Amino acid sequence: MSQMREGETLEDRVVEILSRLQPKSLMRFKCIRKSWCTIINSPSFVAKHLNNSVDNKLSSSTCILLSRSQPLVFPDNSWKPEVFWSMINLSIDSDEHNLYYDVEDLSIPFPLEDHDFVQIDGYCNGIVCVRAWKTLHLVNVLLCNPATRKFSQLPPSCLLQPSRPKRKFQLEAIVIGLGFGYDCKAKEYKVVQIIENCEYSDDEQYNYHRIDLPHTAEVYTTAANSWRKIKIDISSGTYDCSCSTYLKGFCYWFATDGEKYILSFDLGDEIFHRIQLPFWKESDFKFSNIFLCNESIASFCSCCDPSDEDATLCEIWLMDDYDRVKSLWTKLLTFGPLKGIENPFTFWKSDELLMVVSGGRATSYNSSTGNLNYLHIPPILNEVTGSQALIYVESMVPVK
């Protein structure tokens, strides 16, 4: 141990040492000494530990949180999804371009029973926002810190109905977008829900009886531990929003209302904005999702290879600037043709793109060499019905 600096107390040294340990160790140390528990639970220590984790330049690996699910079929042909969360530490030999990784299965005790779907809808500072639902109308939102294995279930929505309407002209409300992030102004975490509303002109409630109504939105704040309605002004034709991407006080979704665009939400001002994607008038490339790339929003587009319909040509664009009126985009990368590409997750290195390919397999594509490295991640699933991945930073941030 190095000598103590002038003016440094023993407690300062303890804080410095503890702030560089993994949450798994800190959770054990909380039980050893009461004074350590007090230190580890303090907001100043949580913030210091988070900063150390984010700025950890000593580590040569990148931590990825991977979520996969497969249907578990019972003898009566009923089924429920099995959800598997894994922590993957990825690294690469810069000289030989060899990929190395280790996998830790996370036994997350979801505090819910009888839910049919579990989906990651947002991530920020080590906390994952999870949506679990039994039906379209019965939805639970949870905040989870996988590193500490702590959960918090949010209170019921102030706008959603608990069940499908039974009569004509009754409101039906369904969540089509959910975001999570940190409001730097108020210094608190927020969850935002975008809700699609409609009613039916007949008790049979077929689609041709459907009447679209304006969308609504609500925000949950950790300080108030409650939801409140906020203003939203987007097309009532917006019927789909991707899982959200958080960056520097904003949530972003890939959205569709007949035209594909990016929807953003300022967590401080609580205002929604519409961002145009790069415009290709005479191109077969179609945009399909967004993700983080080097502290920027990246958009992925693809098209079939004219010479091989089973192969895909891909492009990735970076949003350089957005002034709430127009957006500026730069093409970052063109690659392919590749076969079986389904969805890119994130750049975990400047030239390494983590993707999912046919069969739900995770793979890393090196844009410099063109190499594809498949990741063999236990347990090996028979039929992957959903895969999600994000760059994860372990933290001690509490979920309550």
Side-chain angles (χ1 to χ4, degrees), residues 204-219:
E204 293 183 342
Q205 299 183 6
Y206 292 125
N207 279 339
Y208 52 82
H209 297 139
R210 176 188 171 104
I211 302 171
D212 288 331
L213 300 174
H215 286 43
T216 52
E218 59 184 345
V219 162

Side-chain angles (χ1 to χ4, degrees), residues 84-255:
F84 301 90
W85 281 14
S86 303
M87 207 78 82
I88 310 168
N89 285 295
L90 289 165
S91 60
I92 197 159
D93 184 332
S94 58
D95 295 326
E96 302 294 333
H97 293 286
N98 293 321
L99 182 68
Y100 303 95
Y101 60 94
D102 60 76
V103 180
E104 178 188 359
D105 288 330
L106 302 179
S107 300
I108 302 294
F110 286 104
L112 294 171
E113 294 183 359
D114 205 26
H115 53 273
D116 279 351
F117 298 95
V118 174
Q119 175 176 296
I120 295 175
D121 270 294
Y123 164 78
C124 178
N125 293 344
I127 299 180
V128 179
C129 185
V130 178
R131 186 167 27 153
W133 63 95
K134 178 66 178 175
T135 69
L136 282 175
H137 306 88
L138 190 57
V139 182
N140 293 285
V141 181
L142 305 99
L143 298 180
C144 166
N145 185 328
T148 62
R149 306 294 201 275
K150 297 295 184 181
F151 272 94
S152 175
Q153 183 172 341
L154 273 56
S157 160
C158 67
L159 297 176
L160 292 174
Q161 308 297 318
S163 61
R164 183 182 177 89
K166 296 181 174 57
R167 297 189 301 274
K168 62 181 180 180
F169 298 118
Q170 280 189 330
L171 178 68
E172 180 175 38
I174 297 173
V175 176
I176 62 167
L178 188 147
F180 170 70
Y182 186 68
D183 178 358
C184 303
K185 296 179 181 178
K187 299 187 184 306
E188 63 178 343
Y189 292 90
K190 292 182 177 180
V191 180
V192 56
Q193 286 195 135
I194 304 168
I195 298 170
E196 176 188 76
N197 299 290
C198 73
E199 60 186 17
Y200 295 89
S201 60
D202 190 276
D203 288 337
E204 293 183 342
Q205 299 183 6
Y206 292 125
N207 279 339
Y208 52 82
H209 297 139
R210 176 188 171 104
I211 302 171
D212 288 331
L213 300 174
H215 286 43
T216 52
E218 59 184 345
V219 162
Y220 166 89
T221 61
T222 50
N225 191 33
S226 63
W227 296 90
R228 56 180 167 80
K229 186 176 180 180
I230 60 171
K231 182 180 179 181
I232 183 171
D233 184 18
I234 63 173
S235 166
S236 60
T238 298
Y239 60 89
D240 184 40
C241 292
S242 66
C243 297
S244 71
T245 298
Y246 170 80
L247 178 65
K248 299 177 181 177
F250 284 79
C251 290
Y252 297 89
W253 297 266
F254 182 84

Side-chain angles (χ1 to χ4, degrees), residues 251-264:
C251 290
Y252 297 89
W253 297 266
F254 182 84
T256 305
D257 64 357
E259 176 187 354
K260 295 177 180 178
Y261 67 98
I262 295 175
L263 180 65
S264 73

Side-chain angles (χ1 to χ4, degrees), residues 317-330:
W317 290 72
L318 279 187
M319 187 169 68
D320 294 326
D321 190 25
Y322 173 61
D323 61 6
R324 302 192 181 186
V325 177
K326 61 181 179 180
S327 54
L328 298 177
W329 294 87
T330 300

